[in-house]
Every structure is written in structure tokens, then in C-alpha cells.
Amino acid sequence: MKKTLLTVSLLLLTVVFNLAVGQAYQFTDVCRNKVTPVKDQARTGTCWCFATTAFMESELIRTGKGEFDLSEMYVVYQNYLNRLQDNYLRRGKGNIGEGSIAHMLIDVYRTNGIVPEEVYNGIKYDSKSHNHSELSEYLGAIANVSVQMKRRSPEYYKIMNNLLSSYLGERPEKFTYKGVEYTPQTFLKYLGINLDDYVELTSFSHLPYYKASVLEIPDNWDYGRLYNLPIDEYMEVINNALKSGYCIAWDGDISEKGFSQKNGVAINPILENGELAIDFSKIYNEKKVDQSSRQQGFESFVTTDDHLMLLTGIVKDQNGTIYYITKNSWGTEGMFQGYLNMSESFVRAKSVSMLVNKNSIPKGIREKLGI
């Protein structure tokens, strides 16, 4: 366990500190928190679950519980059931895609517990990696039939559960882990995770500050309530959490040209002299981002909730610009083998929400939020 963490840490340090051929960026650490190895969501839209699972795994490391590999697909299975229920009651107007946001993992943990990856990997079909393309099509068909018929027969529930079990496998009611028998709920208790410690935050001016409100994004299909902060305080939470040893499940927009997993950075550059493309072999001046520009991006649908990842630390480039070390869930591709560094300007502009441990929020901000 310790050997795995040490190997990953040394590898990342080697990659981060060495200037790669053709790259302008030279990064030095400000802080770096321990995390589990990079995973691959493959051909699924389940980044929300991979990022939030990585967050929970980092919490177990932080609290001294150790390194665990928790099952993403155990959570995804229940999430599919939950969203089909929601879609039916909304008469077919719900979101039956694959996307969700971080608090939905907390909801599943609370109602269904959790299991290790070795107990439930969620691949029962003929594939070495996750692929929900066919499964999603069948789920959509089942959802539409029941809405059209305006009823759900006993056979509907059998078909729905059989479909999910055929692709993902039967969810265990009991299992043995390291010689001890657990249920998903008793395993959650064993992990010692206090689910009441976690809150979601956002930062948009159309919502009241320091209050919990529903954020109007498609993947918040269960109308979850997020605490709203001004952007400067939102960033203060990020910096305080990471410097205090906490990781963050981050939700944001990665559709911009400045986001490059291949080059290991996400930047928000000011293009000059008629530039149309971004040259990652040089360092750009970046845009100044305030509450107004964030709001404009959100309301023009330029900033959407594309993707969730894990913020694990902070680095600086040779000019002193802050970047946030980010663990992705696309396998180990890219310059930093599954990681990239997102600039402060990029994060200020493209953040949609984040899940944090409330104890990582500065005291003054917590008091304003009343949590």
C-alpha cells in the first residue's frame, strides 16, 4: 500500500519537475496531497463518479485509514435506477443520460453503502474496459416505454434490474474483504466516512450568496442544492483546502481550446496578433476573470458542466502563476500520465461547482454559510 503511494508520488515528481521537450512550462510544487492511482472511465459518461470516488479515496488516505480502491460502478448502478425513477415521475422529461454531479455519489453511499472495486468492478460484458454505449440505449428505450404506457408493471422492474445486472453484474448483498464479511452498509461504517462532512459549492451571481440554491445545469437532475459563494471566496476555499491537505472534486468546463490533457495544462490565454490556435510551447498572459465574466460565460452556455476531476495540489510555473494539480479519469494518457495542471485563470473562469469537506472551508466563510 505505502509502496504504491510512494511509487506514484516519485513518478509524478519526476515528470512535473523535468521540463519536457517542446514545453515552455517549468512547474514547482506549492503543495501536493496523496491520492490513489489514476483510473479510466473509458467509454462512459461517468466522470462524476470517478472524480468523486477519487475524492473519497483521498479522504481515506488523509484520515489515516489507508489506500482503498472503491467501486465506481456500484454507485453508477443505483444512479441509473434513481434517474429512471425521476424520469418517469417527470413524464419523460428527466435526464436519463449518464451525467450527474458529485453529491449524487454521497446520496448513494447514504442509502446503499459502498463496496471495494475487487468485489464489484461493473464489467460483466465482453470488454476489458467500461463501455456503456449499448447499455444507455437500452435504458432509454425502457424509460420511454414505461412513460408512454403511463405505468410500470412488475415486469418493468424485472427488465430494468436484469438489464443493469446483465451489463454491470449483480450487486452483492454480502461480501468478504480481507477475511471479514461485510454488507455495503457495514463496509461504509468500517471506512468511517462521515457523509455529513461534505458540501457542494458554486459561484454565480444569479443565485443568492451564502445560501443553498438549486444550480440550473442538466446534470443536477435531482435538483440538488449548492452553497453559492462570490468567486474570490470560492477560490479561497480551493486554496485553503489544498494547502490544508484536502482534495476537491471539481466540476467544470473543459471544452475550451486551452484545455490540453496531451500537453498537461489547462490555460485561459489572451491570444494576440491574430492567433487562432494555442501554441503550448510558450507561456501566454491569461485573462482576468471576475464574477461578471463568469456569469456571462454561464448564461451564454459557453461554460457548462462538461467534466468532473480531482484537484490534488498546487504548483507554480517559472513566472509565479498558480496552477491546480488535477487528476483526470482518462487513464494515464498525456504528458503527466493522467494528470494536468489547470491555471488559476482557467479554474476561475470554468468552474461550475465543487464538492469539499466542510472542515476545509475557512472559518469565516463557514460562518457566512451557516455550516
CSV table of all heavy atoms in Angstrom, one decimal, residues 194-215:
chain,number,residue,atom,x,y,z
A,194,ASN,N,-17.9,10.1,7.3
A,194,ASN,CA,-19.0,10.9,7.8
A,194,ASN,C,-19.6,11.7,6.6
A,194,ASN,O,-19.1,12.7,6.2
A,194,ASN,CB,-18.6,11.8,8.9
A,194,ASN,CG,-19.7,12.6,9.5
A,194,ASN,OD1,-20.9,12.5,9.1
A,194,ASN,ND2,-19.5,13.5,10.5
A,195,LEU,N,-20.7,11.2,6.1
A,195,LEU,CA,-21.3,11.8,4.9
A,195,LEU,C,-21.8,13.2,5.1
A,195,LEU,O,-21.9,13.9,4.2
A,195,LEU,CB,-22.4,10.9,4.4
A,195,LEU,CG,-21.9,9.4,4.0
A,195,LEU,CD1,-23.2,8.6,3.6
A,195,LEU,CD2,-20.9,9.5,2.9
A,196,ASP,N,-22.0,13.5,6.4
A,196,ASP,CA,-22.5,14.9,6.7
A,196,ASP,C,-21.4,15.9,6.6
A,196,ASP,O,-21.6,17.1,6.7
A,196,ASP,CB,-23.1,14.9,8.1
A,196,ASP,CG,-24.4,14.1,8.2
A,196,ASP,OD1,-25.1,14.0,7.1
A,196,ASP,OD2,-24.7,13.6,9.3
A,197,ASP,N,-20.1,15.5,6.4
A,197,ASP,CA,-19.0,16.4,6.3
A,197,ASP,C,-18.9,17.1,4.9
A,197,ASP,O,-18.0,18.0,4.7
A,197,ASP,CB,-17.7,15.7,6.6
A,197,ASP,CG,-17.4,15.6,8.1
A,197,ASP,OD1,-18.0,16.3,8.9
A,197,ASP,OD2,-16.5,14.7,8.4
A,198,TYR,N,-19.7,16.6,3.9
A,198,TYR,CA,-19.4,17.0,2.5
A,198,TYR,C,-20.5,18.0,2.0
A,198,TYR,O,-21.7,17.7,2.2
A,198,TYR,CB,-19.2,15.8,1.7
A,198,TYR,CG,-18.1,14.9,2.2
A,198,TYR,CD1,-18.4,13.8,2.9
A,198,TYR,CD2,-16.8,15.3,2.1
A,198,TYR,CE1,-17.4,13.0,3.5
A,198,TYR,CE2,-15.8,14.6,2.6
A,198,TYR,CZ,-16.1,13.4,3.3
A,198,TYR,OH,-15.1,12.7,3.9
A,199,VAL,N,-20.1,19.1,1.4
A,199,VAL,CA,-21.0,20.0,0.8
A,199,VAL,C,-20.5,20.4,-0.6
A,199,VAL,O,-19.3,20.4,-0.9
A,199,VAL,CB,-21.1,21.3,1.7
A,199,VAL,CG1,-21.7,21.0,3.1
A,199,VAL,CG2,-19.7,22.0,1.9
A,200,GLU,N,-21.5,20.8,-1.4
A,200,GLU,CA,-21.2,21.3,-2.7
A,200,GLU,C,-21.3,22.8,-2.7
A,200,GLU,O,-22.2,23.4,-2.2
A,200,GLU,CB,-22.1,20.7,-3.8
A,200,GLU,CG,-21.7,19.4,-4.3
A,200,GLU,CD,-22.7,18.8,-5.3
A,200,GLU,OE1,-23.9,18.8,-5.0
A,200,GLU,OE2,-22.2,18.4,-6.4
A,201,LEU,N,-20.3,23.4,-3.5
A,201,LEU,CA,-20.3,24.9,-3.6
A,201,LEU,C,-20.3,25.3,-5.1
A,201,LEU,O,-19.9,24.6,-5.9
A,201,LEU,CB,-19.0,25.4,-3.0
A,201,LEU,CG,-18.7,25.0,-1.5
A,201,LEU,CD1,-17.3,25.5,-1.1
A,201,LEU,CD2,-19.7,25.5,-0.6
A,202,THR,N,-20.8,26.5,-5.3
A,202,THR,CA,-20.8,27.1,-6.6
A,202,THR,C,-20.6,28.6,-6.5
A,202,THR,O,-20.4,29.1,-5.4
A,202,THR,CB,-22.1,26.7,-7.4
A,202,THR,OG1,-21.9,27.1,-8.8
A,202,THR,CG2,-23.3,27.5,-6.8
A,203,SER,N,-20.5,29.3,-7.7
A,203,SER,CA,-20.3,30.7,-7.7
A,203,SER,C,-20.9,31.4,-8.9
A,203,SER,O,-20.2,31.6,-9.9
A,203,SER,CB,-18.8,31.0,-7.6
A,203,SER,OG,-18.5,32.4,-7.6
A,204,PHE,N,-22.2,31.8,-8.8
A,204,PHE,CA,-22.8,32.5,-9.8
A,204,PHE,C,-23.7,33.6,-9.2
A,204,PHE,O,-24.4,33.4,-8.2
A,204,PHE,CB,-23.7,31.6,-10.7
A,204,PHE,CG,-22.8,30.6,-11.5
A,204,PHE,CD1,-22.8,29.3,-11.2
A,204,PHE,CD2,-22.0,31.1,-12.5
A,204,PHE,CE1,-22.0,28.4,-11.9
A,204,PHE,CE2,-21.2,30.2,-13.3
A,204,PHE,CZ,-21.2,28.8,-12.9
A,205,SER,N,-23.7,34.8,-9.9
A,205,SER,CA,-24.4,36.0,-9.3
A,205,SER,C,-25.9,35.9,-9.4
A,205,SER,O,-26.5,36.8,-8.8
A,205,SER,CB,-23.8,37.2,-10.0
A,205,SER,OG,-24.1,37.2,-11.4
A,206,HIS,N,-26.5,35.0,-10.2
A,206,HIS,CA,-27.9,35.0,-10.3
A,206,HIS,C,-28.5,34.3,-9.1
A,206,HIS,O,-29.8,34.3,-8.9
A,206,HIS,CB,-28.4,34.4,-11.6
A,206,HIS,CG,-28.2,32.9,-11.7
A,206,HIS,ND1,-26.9,32.3,-11.9
A,206,HIS,CD2,-29.0,31.8,-11.6
A,206,HIS,CE1,-27.0,31.0,-11.9
A,206,HIS,NE2,-28.2,30.7,-11.7
A,207,LEU,N,-27.7,33.6,-8.3
A,207,LEU,CA,-28.1,32.9,-7.1
A,207,LEU,C,-27.7,33.7,-5.8
A,207,LEU,O,-26.7,34.4,-5.9
A,207,LEU,CB,-27.5,31.5,-7.0
A,207,LEU,CG,-27.8,30.6,-8.1
A,207,LEU,CD1,-27.0,29.3,-7.9
A,207,LEU,CD2,-29.3,30.2,-8.2
A,208,PRO,N,-28.5,33.7,-4.8
A,208,PRO,CA,-28.1,34.5,-3.6
A,208,PRO,C,-26.9,33.9,-2.9
A,208,PRO,O,-26.7,32.7,-2.8
A,208,PRO,CB,-29.3,34.3,-2.6
A,208,PRO,CG,-30.0,33.0,-3.1
A,208,PRO,CD,-29.8,32.9,-4.6
A,209,TYR,N,-26.0,34.8,-2.6
A,209,TYR,CA,-24.7,34.4,-1.9
A,209,TYR,C,-25.0,33.9,-0.5
A,209,TYR,O,-25.8,34.4,0.2
A,209,TYR,CB,-23.7,35.5,-1.9
A,209,TYR,CG,-23.2,35.9,-3.3
A,209,TYR,CD1,-23.3,37.2,-3.7
A,209,TYR,CD2,-22.7,34.9,-4.1
A,209,TYR,CE1,-22.8,37.6,-5.0
A,209,TYR,CE2,-22.2,35.3,-5.4
A,209,TYR,CZ,-22.3,36.6,-5.8
A,209,TYR,OH,-21.8,36.9,-7.1
A,210,TYR,N,-24.2,32.9,-0.1
A,210,TYR,CA,-24.1,32.3,1.2
A,210,TYR,C,-25.4,31.5,1.5
A,210,TYR,O,-25.7,31.3,2.7
A,210,TYR,CB,-23.9,33.4,2.3
A,210,TYR,CG,-22.7,34.3,1.9
A,210,TYR,CD1,-22.9,35.6,1.7
A,210,TYR,CD2,-21.4,33.7,1.9
A,210,TYR,CE1,-21.8,36.4,1.3
A,210,TYR,CE2,-20.3,34.5,1.5
A,210,TYR,CZ,-20.5,35.9,1.2
A,210,TYR,OH,-19.4,36.7,0.9
A,211,LYS,N,-26.2,31.2,0.5
A,211,LYS,CA,-27.4,30.4,0.6
A,211,LYS,C,-27.2,29.1,-0.2
A,211,LYS,O,-26.5,29.1,-1.2
A,211,LYS,CB,-28.6,31.2,0.2
A,211,LYS,CG,-28.8,32.5,0.9
A,211,LYS,CD,-29.3,32.3,2.3
A,211,LYS,CE,-29.6,33.6,3.0
A,211,LYS,NZ,-30.0,33.4,4.4
A,212,ALA,N,-28.0,28.1,0.1
A,212,ALA,CA,-28.0,26.9,-0.7
A,212,ALA,C,-29.2,27.0,-1.7
A,212,ALA,O,-30.3,27.2,-1.3
A,212,ALA,CB,-28.2,25.7,0.2
A,213,SER,N,-28.8,26.9,-3.0
A,213,SER,CA,-29.8,27.0,-4.1
A,213,SER,C,-29.6,25.9,-5.1
A,213,SER,O,-28.6,25.3,-5.2
A,213,SER,CB,-29.7,28.4,-4.8
A,213,SER,OG,-29.9,29.4,-3.8
A,214,VAL,N,-30.7,25.7,-5.9
A,214,VAL,CA,-30.6,24.7,-7.0
A,214,VAL,C,-29.8,25.4,-8.1
A,214,VAL,O,-30.2,26.4,-8.6
A,214,VAL,CB,-32.0,24.3,-7.5
A,214,VAL,CG1,-31.9,23.4,-8.7
A,214,VAL,CG2,-32.7,23.6,-6.3
A,215,LEU,N,-28.7,24.7,-8.6
A,215,LEU,CA,-28.0,25.2,-9.7
A,215,LEU,C,-28.6,24.6,-11.0
A,215,LEU,O,-28.7,23.4,-11.1
A,215,LEU,CB,-26.5,24.8,-9.6
A,215,LEU,CG,-25.6,25.3,-10.7
A,215,LEU,CD1,-25.6,26.8,-10.9
A,215,LEU,CD2,-24.2,24.7,-10.5
